[in-house]
Amino acid sequence: MKGKPMQRISSIGRTKEIIEKYNFRFSKSLGQNFLVDGNTIDKIVASGGIGPGDNVFEVGPGIGTLTQMLCEEAGKVVAIEKDRDLIPILKNDTLKGYENITVLHGDILKEDIKSITDECFGGQPFKLVANLPYYITTPIIMRFLEEDLPVTDILVMIQKEVAERIEAVPATKSYGALSVAVQYYAEPEIMGIVPKHVFMPSPKVDSIIIRLRVREEPPVQLEDKKLFFETVKASFAMRRKTLYNTLRKTLPYGQDLISEALELSGIDPKRRGETLSIEEFATLSNEIYKLAN
């Protein structure tokens, strides 16, 4: 049985009531902004296609506004919260009525995620849901993508600018190393804009709900994944310079090798890094690997 709480908290009035009851103070250092709009919460859950057969891992539940809906829709939910002051609110109040939730106190960037998900979900697939503050958005997303975890979907609310960078395509202003890194592991889709006024306190910019469908297989074959990402990062290091000039200054190989690798890849050395597709980056890094080994 999932159980139900006494009252949903997806409103400004109910949120204020809980904050005042527990004398809670928002932490700027943790980037805390609580959702206070039921329609947005419904949209997030619907965007993730979350149903009774899903395991859900939530990062940063806050006072549990979104968590309540996750508990009602998903089979099992694990929520990890860094702010110790929020744990009693979650366990003793807002999530008390649910029997399919496990609330943990910890820093997601330091915890052993695989051990937690293996123990709580029995090693079964799960979906990640989170409202992420700007300063830890990329580290958290990349950690869930890079580690050997059975995560099928990542559904996050993040700053609009970051979401646009993740979804960007070659030859656009937002396209960069983050675009390539995320798209190597997952297929991104922007699900909608979340206006800043539906948060308490209101952030300075709007957020975006973005869904990352984790790929079962990478879109390209690589000789060396580490070298691939080094090549990508190096290619965006000097955006105004040509690819040849950027790579010969940022990669630990001679200019002759870089020149030959570009020629073998069929890539004009005068192009800039932001014009290359994932496939072209893969071809280039593979040629560099072959020439260097």
Side-chain angles (χ1 to χ4, degrees):
M1 295 292 291
K2 295 182 180 181
K4 289 187 177 180
M6 293 297 292
Q7 184 180 3
R8 293 287 295 276
I9 53 175
S10 53
S11 70
I12 294 177
R14 180 70 174 126
T15 300
K16 285 182 177 180
E17 181 183 320
I18 292 170
I19 289 172
E20 291 172 3
K21 177 181 177 180
Y22 290 90
N23 196 30
F24 178 77
R25 294 290 180 268
F26 288 96
S27 169
K28 287 187 177 181
S29 64
L30 294 178
Q32 292 174 330
N33 302 96
F34 297 164
L35 259 177
V36 290
D37 180 67
N39 291 330
T40 300
I41 291 168
D42 292 341
K43 186 172 185 178
I44 293 168
V45 175
S47 296
I50 295 169
D54 290 322
N55 295 314
V56 175
F57 190 106
E58 184 185 13
V59 175
I63 59 173
T65 312
L66 172 60
T67 322
Q68 287 186 334
M69 178 62 84
L70 294 175
C71 289
E72 291 176 17
E73 298 297 326
K76 190 170 185 179
V77 181
V78 172
I80 185 167
E81 174 57 54
K82 185 176 180 179
D83 190 340
R84 188 181 298 275
D85 292 340
L86 291 171
I87 301 302
I89 299 177
L90 293 166
K91 288 187 174 182
N92 304 327
D93 196 326
T94 60
L95 302 179
K96 187 178 180 180
Y98 295 113
E99 299 171 7
N100 61 335
I101 175 75
T102 299
V103 177
L104 304 173
H105 172 248
D107 184 342
I108 193 60
L109 293 177
K110 297 178 181 178
E111 299 294 331
D112 185 336
I113 301 173
K114 184 167 177 56
S115 292
I116 293 173
T117 55
D118 282 351
E119 180 180 348
C120 295
F121 300 139
Q124 295 300 305
F126 67 91
K127 295 180 178 181
L128 170 68
V129 177
N131 173 23
L132 298 177
Y134 176 73
Y135 76 103
I136 55 171
T137 295
T138 300
I140 289 179
I141 289 176
M142 293 312 300
R143 186 169 184 204
F144 275 86
L145 290 175
E146 291 173 341
E147 295 192 9
D148 184 23
L149 302 168
V151 57
T152 61
D153 294 83
I154 295 177
L155 187 71
V156 289
M157 273 187 301
I158 56 179
Q159 191 176 46
K160 186 172 180 285
E161 176 192 348
V162 181
E164 291 171 345
R165 286 168 55 201
I166 285 175
E167 198 200 33
V169 297
T172 61
K173 184 179 179 181
S174 297
Y175 187 66
L178 179 62
S179 316
V180 178
V182 173
Q183 291 175 35
Y184 172 82
Y185 291 104
E187 298 177 83
E189 180 182 2
I190 289 179
M191 309 302 290
I193 296 176
V194 183
K196 56 188 177 183
H197 69 260
V198 302
F199 293 96
M200 177 191 292
S202 296
K204 294 181 179 179
V205 296
D206 292 338
S207 296
I208 276 182
I209 303 169
I210 188 167
R211 181 177 183 177
L212 308 176
R213 291 177 172 86
V214 180
R215 301 180 189 273
E216 292 186 7
E217 295 291 337
V220 291
Q221 297 298 313
L222 303 175
E223 296 287 348
D224 186 307
K225 188 163 74 170
K226 182 181 178 183
L227 177 59
F228 168 76
F229 285 111
E230 288 175 347
T231 302
V232 170
K233 185 177 180 180
S235 298
F236 289 99
M238 304 175 183
R239 294 183 75 104
R240 294 185 178 182
K241 293 187 178 295
T242 65
L243 191 59
Y244 168 71
N245 283 329
T246 300
L247 293 179
R248 71 184 181 87
K249 291 181 179 180
T250 53
L251 288 179
Y253 305 105
Q255 60 184 29
D256 290 342
L257 186 148
I258 296 299
S259 180
E260 187 175 357
L262 287 166
E263 183 178 353
L264 291 171
S265 302
I267 298 172
D268 186 342
K270 294 181 180 179
R271 287 174 61 183
R272 288 180 168 77
E274 63 263 29
T275 68
L276 269 64
S277 65
I278 290 181
E279 291 75 18
E280 288 177 308
F281 277 121
T283 300
L284 178 57
S285 69
N286 287 343
E287 292 298 343
I288 293 174
Y289 177 84
K290 293 172 186 176
L291 292 171
N293 289 276

